[in-house]
Amino acid sequence: MPIFVLIILLFSQSIFAKTLPATNFQATHNFINKMVKEHQFSKPELLAIFSKVNLIVAEKTQKIVTKKPKLKPMSWDKYRSLFITDTRIKNGVDFWNNNLETLKRAEKKYNVPQEIIVAILGIETNYGHNQGQHPTLETLARLSFGKHRRKKFYKKELEEFLLMSRENDLAPLLIKGSYAGALGYGQFISSSYRYYAVDFDFDGKVDLFSSSADAIGSIANYFDKHQWHDFGAYARPITLTNTQLKQAKSSTNKPKKTAKYWRSKDFNIDHDIDNKTKLAFIKLPQEHKSETWLTFWNFYVLTRYNHDNRYAMTAVQLSSKIKQQFNQTNP
């Protein structure tokens, strides 16, 4: 090793060690060695980068996280009211008009409806306006090397983040996102950025931070890779008996059994639904009474983006309202 590299390495390591508690220093140092060995990163470079990341408060942060009381989930009606607003619908129509050709191209390539892509962007960042102001490297490092119950997951995302930054020639210390490390227009986590993001404006790089075209193509590609059924249905309201209600889940519910099976169990399945169509049932708890819905495969695919049924239903209903307004202004 050249002497000047050795000097830089020792200097960076010294600074790095002084910035961290002993436990964090060892965990972070092990992680750096892993990145050097498995992905051929420069150790002096990583030491220099991590020496600029504040991890000291991680212990306090994780204590707060672990002691946080479990809160009652937000009711469906309140959740929906946060996202399905006149302003967000109007902004969605404006975004659609401003990106019409790109959305048409994404729909043609991936068979994902334009209004669904627009709705997802509206829910996630209000069409790119609220991408997050948390330094992502610091966020992921704190969650990886502290006491968070999902630190194994976040350590993997930290690895993916550094690889994503290198692959797209991005400065890791300058990237900002959500409090949990989600990035860009569509709030992709780093692994999703690497595996599903696409260069949809053909400029030679994948940029989910400033390219609306890349964001549009990437969301469509994400759903396509999760086996989106071309222009398939999402959900229908259904009335269930108390016995049948046991089949309805508040969390993700994957369609596994066919309409024929549910009809044999006396479920009132609409006649136009084919016997072979796989169905599931969900409930969306409100303040006073839960809504119950029959759901199709594409509703389940929407929950691959966010596993909350309320999120998927919001995407469905917001997309419908945006499409209605868009069609009125574009007869």
Side-chain angles (χ1 to χ4, degrees):
M1 179 183 294
I3 187 64
F4 72 91
V5 174
L6 180 60
I7 292 171
I8 293 174
L9 178 61
L10 292 173
F11 180 71
S12 299
Q13 192 161 344
S14 175
I15 295 176
F16 175 63
K18 291 178 181 179
T19 63
L20 295 175
T23 53
N24 280 351
F25 170 76
Q26 189 58 54
T28 312
H29 197 76
N30 291 343
F31 175 80
I32 288 173
N33 287 336
K34 168 186 167 70
M35 297 302 292
V36 171
K37 180 179 180 180
E38 296 185 8
H39 302 295
Q40 294 73 54
F41 276 83
S42 162
K43 188 168 185 176
E45 183 180 351
L46 286 183
L47 284 168
I49 289 172
F50 276 94
S51 70
K52 298 175 183 178
V53 175
N54 179 17
L55 299 179
I56 295 176
V57 298
E59 297 293 331
K60 292 181 180 179
T61 301
Q62 299 314 321
K63 286 180 181 179
I64 293 172
V65 170
T66 55
K67 291 182 179 180
K68 186 176 181 180
K70 188 174 182 180
L71 301 176
K72 181 181 178 181
M74 185 184 298
S75 65
W76 159 233
D77 41 353
K78 185 174 181 180
Y79 184 99
R80 176 177 54 202
S81 69
L82 296 176
F83 298 101
I84 303 181
T85 64
D86 291 342
T87 299
R88 204 168 301 244
I89 293 167
K90 179 184 181 301
N91 289 346
V93 173
D94 291 342
F95 181 87
W96 197 339
N97 281 317
N98 292 335
N99 297 274
L100 182 57
E101 295 307 314
T102 303
L103 284 159
K104 285 181 178 178
R105 184 159 52 89
E107 182 179 84
K108 183 177 181 180
K109 180 176 176 64
Y110 298 108
N111 292 313
V112 176
Q114 298 173 54
E115 64 270 17
I116 281 290
I117 301 171
V118 175
I120 294 295
L121 287 166
I123 295 169
E124 291 293 346
T125 60
N126 196 12
Y127 314 101
H129 295 298
N130 303 318
Q131 296 186 23
Q133 292 300 314
H134 299 270
T136 302
L137 179 61
E138 185 171 294
T139 296
L140 293 176
R142 288 182 181 182
L143 294 169
S144 298
F145 306 130
K147 295 182 179 180
H148 197 281
R149 62 182 178 83
R150 299 185 69 200
K151 65 181 181 180
K152 184 176 180 180
F153 166 80
Y154 284 110
K155 191 175 293 183
K156 179 61 178 174
E157 285 304 310
L158 179 59
E159 179 181 352
E160 298 282 1
F161 173 77
L162 289 171
L163 290 167
M164 179 272 292
S165 300
R166 183 172 68 180
E167 290 163 357
N168 293 283
D169 196 26
L170 300 170
L173 287 169
L174 299 181
I175 298 174
K176 294 182 178 181
S178 77
Y179 69 93
L183 304 166
Y185 267 88
Q187 295 292 276
F188 276 26
I189 58 175
S190 298
S191 55
S192 293
Y193 199 122
R194 290 192 69 217
Y195 302 139
Y196 303 112
V198 295
D199 175 16
F200 212 56
D201 58 10
F202 312 116
D203 66 351
K205 60 183 179 180
V206 180
D207 178 9
L208 299 188
F209 300 98
S210 58
S211 172
S212 58
D214 287 1
I216 289 166
S218 298
I219 290 171
N221 182 53
Y222 184 95
F223 287 132
D224 179 62
K225 292 297 188 293
H226 283 81
Q227 303 177 38
W228 185 270
H229 288 183
D230 299 354
F231 299 96
Y234 305 113
R236 295 184 186 184
I238 188 171
T239 301
L240 302 175
T241 66
N242 289 335
T243 301
Q244 293 170 341
L245 194 60
K246 295 178 182 178
Q247 303 296 332
K249 308 297 182 183
S250 296
S251 56
T252 298
N253 200 5
K254 184 177 182 178
K256 295 179 180 179
K257 296 180 180 178
T258 64
K260 182 178 180 179
Y261 170 86
W262 294 116
R263 285 179 175 125
S264 73
K265 299 296 181 181
D266 294 325
F267 279 66
N268 187 21
I269 307 300
D270 292 338
H271 296 298
D272 63 322
I273 297 176
D274 190 276
N275 265 336
K276 296 179 180 179
T277 302
K278 291 183 178 181
L279 306 172
F281 304 90
I282 66 167
K283 56 183 175 182
L284 298 172
Q286 302 190 106
E287 286 294 335
H288 302 292
K289 185 179 179 181
S290 294
E291 288 183 6
T292 50
W293 294 78
L294 172 160
T295 59
F296 298 88
W297 177 258
N298 278 352
F299 186 90
Y300 172 73
V301 176
L302 286 171
T303 67
R304 301 306 83 205
Y305 205 94
N306 182 310
H307 290 192
D308 193 326
N309 282 334
R310 297 169 303 174
Y311 179 96
M313 188 60 74
T314 297
V316 170
Q317 295 187 2
L318 179 60
S319 71
S320 176
K321 291 182 178 297
I322 291 172
K323 183 177 181 180
Q324 183 180 19
Q325 289 276 2
F326 176 82
N327 288 339
Q328 289 176 359
T329 57
N330 294 273

